[in-house]
Amino acid sequence: MWLSSLLKRQLKNIKDFKAFSFQDFVKSTVLFPIDYFLRGGKSAYPMNISWYSTLRCNLRCSFCYLRDVLNKGDKELAFEEMKALIEQVTKHRPSFYITGGEPLIRPDLIDIVRDIKKHGMFVGINSNGTLLTKGKADALISSGLDYLIVSIDGNRETHDRVRGVKGAFDKAVNNLKYFCSRKTNTHVLINCTISKDNLGQLDSLIEIAKQTGVDELAFQHLSYLSDSEIQKLIGLNLVYHKDRMKPYRQKIVDAIVQLREKAKREGISVFFKPFLSDSQVFNWYSDDFSYNAKCFYPWRSLRLGPDGSVYPCPMILDNFGSIRASSVEEVWNSRKLVRFRKELKKRGLFPECARCCKLFV
């Protein structure tokens, strides 16, 4: 099951997001079994660099697992440091996924995107959309940005309540409309995180997708930990959202069925992250998530903090080195990261891994 999920996700990354080339996918497919089973925790160069470009954010989202570390004044990588990183990794051609915080807070973001594209690599941005002005939209389109993800969580009232700022919905939707009316090759999608706050509003996203002209609509299952799961944590430096969703499981399953049917009628492309069957949805939103899943993220993606720190994954913020002190190649197969991969493979998953969006179930 996990292998099928892995292949589906990677093929979608090629077809829709242009996250990497088909040649890179074939190369990774050949090398991955060797890396995972035979290299003792070492791995070929990362296919993707996921960069927390900033931990500054202009919204206060209720379910954000990073909310406790946002706006703390971390010393961010400067433009010249990012240029040096891009030059360093060019020969390996990893893709870049830029997130935050809110990436568009950075005044140099568009220049960084331009530099990545100038070096022939794929790049996408995940944004809340409120700062995507006409000028920034035109600049990003002309830069060759490969994909843009904008988060919307329901209708105006629901979205503004979940995002913690009045007017966030209108800004995001209007900015999306403009971007989609001007774009050429950028793949644009709306991402909606499923939560108890927006369960009754999920189908409104289909109409919003039609109005804005986006290419696709994605629904992301909530990443959270229950009280009982928090008790099992083994002490890794974790960021997480605490919640209890078990009472809402049937409503979520019903909502997903209705969404698929309505999307098909309306001709809107919809997918869910991760790919879950109805029974897996019940497991995902139980109080004790069972670990019938695997994680390959640390073998293929490098997670980079705003200050150049390297993390093994989106949820665990233990520092595994810094690109300010070492090259990507040195950090990628450092003793600490190799040991982490070996322990992850041995355990299957850590308790901290419950409901991470990177799991293959």
Side-chain angles (χ1 to χ4, degrees):
M1 179 65 77
W2 60 262
L3 181 58
S4 173
S5 180
L6 171 62
L7 290 173
K8 284 180 181 178
R9 181 182 291 180
Q10 300 296 56
L11 288 171
K12 186 167 191 63
N13 284 338
I14 297 170
K15 177 178 177 290
D16 293 338
F17 299 142
K18 304 175 190 172
F20 41 80
S21 69
F22 183 74
Q23 290 85 350
D24 289 334
F25 168 72
V26 172
K27 179 181 176 182
S28 176
T29 301
V30 172
L31 290 178
F32 177 76
I34 298 172
D35 289 341
Y36 188 75
F37 293 107
L38 300 177
R39 296 195 63 198
K42 290 188 176 182
S43 183
Y45 210 82
M47 291 182 67
N48 172 264
I49 295 175
S50 294
W51 177 40
Y52 292 113
S53 56
T54 180
L55 287 178
R56 290 175 286 163
C57 191
N58 60 324
L59 301 185
R60 300 292 180 272
C61 306
S62 61
F63 51 77
C64 179
Y65 66 88
L66 289 172
R67 63 185 304 166
D68 291 338
V69 298
L70 292 176
N71 302 307
K72 300 295 186 182
D74 291 324
K75 188 177 180 182
E76 297 170 1
L77 292 168
F79 176 61
E80 291 303 321
E81 290 178 295
M82 281 305 299
K83 281 188 69 176
L85 172 67
I86 292 163
E87 184 70 35
Q88 178 193 148
V89 304
T90 294
K91 66 179 181 179
H92 297 285
R93 291 177 51 82
S95 63
F96 280 79
Y97 167 70
I98 303 176
T99 184
E102 172 46 49
L104 288 171
I105 282 180
R106 286 189 64 123
D108 59 358
L109 180 71
I110 294 167
D111 289 330
I112 291 170
V113 171
R114 286 194 185 109
D115 202 54
I116 294 170
K117 293 306 300 178
K118 184 180 77 174
H119 285 80
M121 292 177 284
F122 296 111
V123 58
I125 294 174
N126 193 331
S127 169
N128 64 44
T130 60
L131 303 180
L132 186 62
T133 62
K134 291 181 179 179
K136 289 179 180 177
D138 289 337
L140 285 171
I141 291 167
S142 65
S143 75
L145 181 71
D146 292 292
Y147 64 92
L148 172 68
I149 303 170
V150 173
S151 301
I152 298 180
D153 300 297
N155 62 17
R156 180 181 290 106
E157 179 183 358
T158 300
H159 181 83
D160 286 358
R161 183 178 70 251
V162 169
R163 295 287 161 174
V165 174
K166 190 174 182 179
F169 176 87
D170 287 334
K171 286 181 180 179
V173 168
N174 289 333
N175 291 342
L176 257 182
K177 286 180 180 177
Y178 180 82
F179 191 98
C180 290
S181 72
R182 307 277 295 206
K183 75 181 183 75
T184 51
N185 296 318
T186 306
H187 188 82
V188 182
L189 68 150
I190 289 173
N191 185 76
C192 174
T193 300
I194 298 170
S195 72
K196 63 181 68 171
D197 296 312
N198 65 3
L199 261 181
Q201 294 293 328
L202 296 182
D203 61 349
S204 68
L205 270 296
I206 293 175
E207 188 59 35
I208 294 168
K210 290 174 65 177
Q211 292 173 0
T212 54
V214 297
D215 298 296
E216 204 160 20
L217 179 56
F219 289 92
Q220 182 167 325
H221 291 288
L222 184 66
S223 295
Y224 72 97
L225 293 176
S226 66
D227 283 326
S228 61
E229 290 161 343
I230 291 171
Q231 301 302 314
K232 301 174 185 175
L233 301 181
I234 62 174
L236 294 171
N237 183 16
L238 184 72
V239 287
Y240 63 88
H241 169 67
K242 177 183 173 182
D243 214 327
R244 184 168 188 264
M245 296 291 290
K246 183 177 179 179
Y248 303 91
R249 291 187 299 178
Q250 189 58 55
K251 289 183 179 179
I252 293 170
V253 170
D254 293 342
I256 290 173
V257 171
Q258 293 170 10
L259 278 168
R260 286 178 175 145
E261 292 174 351
K262 185 173 181 179
K264 186 175 181 179
R265 290 196 306 269
E266 299 291 337
I268 299 295
S269 176
V270 170
F271 72 99
F272 295 83
K273 302 185 295 183
F275 301 101
L276 299 175
S277 66
D278 290 352
S279 63
Q280 287 172 330
V281 170
F282 261 74
N283 178 42
W284 188 275
Y285 292 103
S286 65
D287 287 341
D288 289 288
F289 176 68
S290 60
Y291 299 92
N292 185 24
K294 291 185 181 294
C295 176
F296 307 123
Y297 189 87
W299 279 265
R300 285 297 173 262
S301 293
L302 180 136
R303 202 80 180 185
L304 189 64
D307 63 351
S309 298
V310 173
Y311 308 117
C313 74
M315 310 298 287
I316 299 172
L317 295 189
D318 282 311
N319 193 324
F320 280 65
S322 172
I323 63 159
R324 280 178 163 155
S326 308
S327 69
V328 169
E329 199 153 7
E330 289 169 337
V331 176
W332 182 243
N333 280 317
S334 65
R335 183 179 300 176
K336 189 173 182 180
L337 192 46
V338 166
R339 186 168 63 246
F340 179 86
R341 291 190 191 107
K342 289 170 71 174
E343 188 65 20
L344 177 61
K345 181 173 178 284
K346 177 182 174 182
R347 286 174 173 264
L349 291 175
F350 300 113
E352 283 82 347
C353 298
R355 301 185 193 83
C356 176
C357 63
K358 303 302 180 185
L359 296 182
F360 295 100
V361 296

